[in-house]
Amino acid sequence: MKGKEKIVVIGGGASGFFAAINIARLNPQTNVVILEKTSKLLSKVKVSGGGRCNVTHACFDPKELSWHYPRGEKELLGPLHHFGVGDIIEWFEERGVELKVEEDGRMFPSSNSSQTIIDCFLEEAKKLAISIKMSTEVLKITKTNNFQLQCKDGVIEADKIVVGVGGNSKEKHYEFLNELGLNIIAPIPSLFTFNLPKHPSNQLMGLSINATVKLKATDFEEYGPVLFTHWGMSGPVILKLSAKAAKYLFAKSYQFEFAVCWMDNAESFIEEQRKRYGNKLVWKTSLSEIPKRLWTYFIDRASIASDKNWADLNKEEVERLEQVLSNDLYTANGKTTFKEEFVTCGGLELGEVNMKTMESKKVEGLYFCGEVLDVDAVTGGFNFQAAWTTSYRAALAISGK
Ligand SMILES: Cc1cc2nc3c(=O)[nH]c(=O)nc-3n(C[C@H](O)[C@H](O)[C@H](O)COP(=O)(O)OP(=O)(O)OC[C@H]3O[C@@H](n4cnc5c(N)ncnc54)[C@H](O)[C@@H]3O)c2cc1C
């Protein structure tokens, strides 16, 4: 009589655990093993979302949700319809983990602690008798009738494999997949801030304002909060651009120009100020929509003297001010990781995977989930959602459901 089917999950992170738990739950006739190369489990979950774990995002329309994935938008649409935000909320709820929504749509455990998610996964894994081997790095996979996973301490056999090893900017990370003849899109960083070393704007550190940022000579453009930092610019708009233009910015070695439009209607705004406050000093103008520090910075940037009033501005000064307000040019010199929160653009080419089952089209019985795939998103809980969605799909397929 044939024994229990053995499923080996490579990677003890978010996607690996979610896949393992659901395989064991959906098909108790399987023997599920997680192999984790380090001595820690779920280490990214632990530090995620500043220690609170931004589990998902309250965006319930799969189409709208998919827009947040610069890599994977089209391919994830089907899987997100199948196991989306509502499903993960319910999955956690069924296990006593309540999630809450913040104003910007990000969802966290109500406990405000990533440990709640870790405890839930560890408890489920224990209940389902999933065996976990730590400090076990998979170095090579071969396949005869079944799979052989070569680790430092020997060979582990498996009937099916789920690869949930996450992303990494080092190509070596993907070597064992390359050796299987799988196509890996060269990994590069995503989610970073723009460096403006020793730029006068560094003094505005901590200030945040809505603006449109456009990468020069490209179509990459975003509107929303821009945050000044002591090294350059950050905030949701910059992070979104860094994700959407990750490949372009990498090709430019992170030396590039961008323009900020702080105000759409700069021309009419200046006209209005000149009419209303003709004899008032320009730098002393008090504006509800622009903080004082920022206004002073704009005036300096437009080289307008402190003794100039609105009526006395000459044509060149008006043009310079208009330029600063509507098309303020910057040259970025490098990037900085956002709060150590980064994801990898690149990984297993999505064309190599059947997105209905997450099974490799080239190697039967080999499944993929999480960030090892060429899928990544902007910040906000979307990266974990991709991990839950792809893992669940793989689990269903493996369980024959
Ligand atoms: C600091 C930080 C904060 C983040 N916060 C958020 C957030 O709040 N919300 C969000 O949506 N996303 C967040 N992200 C992104 C999110 O953490 C990842 O997208 C997610 O963890 C991917 O899950 P994964 O299981 O695919 O990979 P991982 O979580 O990276 O897990 C992969 C596991 O596989 C192991 N492994 C690797 N190679 C091997 C091998 N050869 N053999 C055995 N084991 C191996 C690794 O050691 C690791 O434990 C954050 C990322 C970082 C770095």
Side-chain angles (χ1 to χ4, degrees):
M1 200 179 93
K2 199 174 181 290
K4 274 187 169 185
E5 193 175 37
K6 185 170 175 187
I7 315 291
V8 172
V9 177
I10 314 176
S15 65
F17 260 86
F18 202 64
I21 290 167
N22 286 299
I23 295 166
R25 187 179 66 87
L26 292 165
N27 189 353
Q29 294 314 309
T30 49
N31 172 7
V32 184
V33 182
I34 297 177
L35 306 180
E36 166 55 45
K37 87 169 172 187
T38 67
S39 56
K40 286 189 183 134
L41 297 171
L42 298 159
S43 55
K44 270 197 201 167
V45 171
K46 177 81 184 158
V47 297
S48 66
R52 295 198 298 142
C53 187
N54 181 189
V55 175
T56 187
H57 200 96
C59 175
F60 296 88
D61 174 16
K63 178 103 186 122
E64 203 181 308
L65 191 65
S66 72
W67 295 337
H68 297 89
Y69 298 86
R71 267 72 48 190
E73 175 180 346
K74 186 166 62 78
E75 295 85 349
L76 274 182
L77 192 56
L80 286 171
H81 266 288
H82 194 251
F83 190 84
V85 174
D87 300 299
I88 191 66
I89 296 172
E90 203 179 306
W91 193 95
F92 277 117
E93 237 168 39
E94 280 168 4
R95 285 153 186 88
V97 176
E98 198 190 311
L99 302 182
K100 59 163 183 174
V101 192
E102 304 227 315
E103 240 172 59
D104 57 5
R106 291 180 303 158
M107 298 196 72
F108 295 87
S110 299
S111 64
N112 266 333
S113 168
S114 57
Q115 194 59 43
T116 305
I117 304 298
I118 295 175
D119 291 344
C120 169
F121 284 171
L122 293 179
E123 212 172 287
E124 284 293 307
K126 195 172 167 196
K127 256 195 251 163
L128 294 160
I130 293 169
S131 61
I132 300 172
K133 285 184 196 292
M134 311 241 271
S135 305
T136 307
E137 179 177 6
V138 174
L139 303 167
K140 194 177 169 71
I141 298 176
T142 50
K143 191 177 184 200
T144 46
N145 278 340
N146 61 354
F147 289 100
Q148 298 80 42
L149 294 95
Q150 203 172 310
C151 308
K152 228 192 210 153
D153 299 334
V155 174
I156 294 168
E157 307 251 334
D159 295 305
K160 284 176 184 156
I161 295 178
V162 181
V163 182
V165 294
N168 196 301
S169 55
K170 295 192 184 83
E171 305 221 357
K172 196 174 178 310
H173 180 76
Y174 304 90
E175 224 166 64
F176 74 101
L177 298 174
N178 268 139
E179 284 171 1
L180 278 169
L182 304 176
N183 197 22
I184 303 294
I185 307 280
I188 57 168
S190 181
L191 292 184
F192 46 82
T193 66
F194 299 171
N195 289 1
L196 298 166
K198 299 200 169 76
H199 192 275
S201 65
N202 297 168
Q203 287 165 15
L204 296 170
M205 178 179 87
L207 201 148
S208 174
I209 186 166
N210 283 341
T212 302
V213 181
K214 181 175 171 41
L215 302 186
K216 291 295 280 182
T218 75
D219 291 334
F220 295 114
E221 181 179 310
E222 290 293 332
Y223 172 79
V226 172
L227 172 70
F228 291 94
T229 66
H230 65 273
W231 66 87
M233 284 192 202
S234 179
V237 162
I238 303 294
L239 292 170
K240 253 189 224 169
L241 279 172
S242 79
K244 293 198 170 161
K247 289 184 183 174
Y248 168 79
L249 297 175
F250 175 78
K252 301 282 283 180
S253 304
Y254 306 106
Q255 317 284 320
F256 58 95
E257 283 198 317
F258 63 98
V260 187
C261 174
W262 305 106
M263 193 182 273
D264 287 332
N265 52 348
E267 192 182 346
S268 56
F269 166 79
I270 295 171
E271 201 52 46
E272 164 95 12
Q273 303 306 307
R274 279 158 73 78
K275 272 193 206 137
R276 283 176 70 182
Y277 305 114
N279 58 1
K280 277 208 172 150
L281 292 173
V282 177
W283 77 270
K284 272 204 159 174
T285 308
S286 160
L287 300 158
S288 56
E289 61 273 48
I290 302 176
K292 186 82 198 151
R293 276 199 298 156
L294 186 58
W295 181 246
T296 311
Y297 166 77
F298 289 156
I299 300 300
D300 281 349
R301 219 158 146 65
S303 305
I304 290 170
S306 56
D307 59 352
K308 277 277 170 149
N309 61 32
W310 282 104
D312 291 341
L313 289 180
N314 62 35
K315 188 166 167 271
E316 287 73 29
E317 287 166 326
V318 168
E319 279 172 7
R320 285 203 304 270
L321 184 57
E322 196 182 318
Q323 169 87 10
V324 166
L325 294 178
S326 62
N327 188 27
D328 197 11
L329 290 182
Y330 294 85
T331 303
N333 185 0
K335 62 170 175 57
T336 297
T337 305
F338 169 68
K339 293 186 194 163
E340 299 311 311
E341 197 164 319
F342 48 85
V343 290
T344 306
C345 156
L348 183 72
E349 194 188 322
L350 297 181
E352 299 232 334
V353 181
N354 175 345
M355 295 298 288
K356 286 203 172 106
T357 59
M358 302 318 296
E359 188 175 13
S360 162
K361 289 179 184 170
K362 283 184 181 155
V363 185
E364 201 185 333
L366 186 66
Y367 296 77
F368 292 88
C369 54
E371 216 183 297
V372 66
L373 295 158
D374 183 22
V375 166
D376 63 274
V378 296
T379 54
F382 306 102
N383 284 299
F384 276 139
Q385 183 59 52
W388 315 136
T389 297
T390 50
S391 302
Y392 197 82
R393 279 229 131 176
L396 270 185
I398 287 173
S399 315
K401 305 278 172 184

